[in-house]
Amino acid sequence: GPITFQANSDTLDPGSDPALEHIRLYMDAKAAISTLRIEGHADDQTLSERRALTVGRWLRAHGTDCKRLLAVGFGANKPIADASTPEGKAQNTRIEIHNAALLGRPIGGLPLEGGGRVAGDLCQ
């Protein structure tokens, strides 16, 4: 299922726990993934960054090594639907998870942040 938040907030909805647990188990099983990029997407750049950090902090609190996590905010820069409708806006507000590096090497030679803005250090 999706990772969701309370409206206009970086507070996770309890219904997000199964998806977060799935990501945690994935990271436990895939030691070769040296960097997992957590992408926040929202109309507001700051909110997208805060949400990505919240997901990263949840993973860290549940045992994922913070050095393997990179929280990045994209704001409204990567829409997947027409933002002029409520439905499209809802689709554009999301968290995406991407493998960014394997065995310490960026995938495809791309920057680890994938063009987004690094939200903060998850090891602090």
Side-chain angles (χ1 to χ4, degrees):
I3 298 170
T4 58
F5 299 84
Q6 294 179 8
N8 299 312
S9 163
D10 61 349
T11 301
L12 285 163
D13 284 328
S16 297
D17 284 352
L20 293 164
E21 182 65 14
H22 180 78
I23 297 165
R24 185 193 68 76
L25 292 171
Y26 175 78
M27 291 299 286
D28 285 351
K30 306 290 184 181
I33 298 170
S34 49
T35 306
L36 186 78
R37 183 174 60 245
I38 305 159
E39 295 185 359
H41 300 270
D43 286 343
D44 178 82
Q45 177 68 37
T46 301
L47 181 60
S48 70
E49 292 173 24
R50 288 189 354 240
R51 287 180 170 181
L53 280 170
T54 296
V55 170
R57 288 179 182 134
W58 188 99
L59 291 167
R60 181 188 72 194
H62 289 84
T64 303
D65 183 352
C66 63
K67 294 178 185 125
R68 297 176 67 201
L69 302 171
L70 180 63
V72 178
F74 280 88
N77 293 329
K78 289 176 64 177
I80 58 171
D82 180 359
S84 67
T85 67
E87 296 82 12
K89 186 176 177 178
Q91 289 177 13
N92 290 335
T93 302
R94 67 197 186 279
I95 291 286
E96 291 186 7
I97 305 296
H98 296 275
N99 296 332
L102 297 173
L103 301 173
R105 296 184 142 173
I107 295 173
L110 298 173
L112 294 178
E113 74 280 353
R117 187 163 70 192
V118 176
D121 185 351
L122 286 165
C123 291
Q124 292 184 348

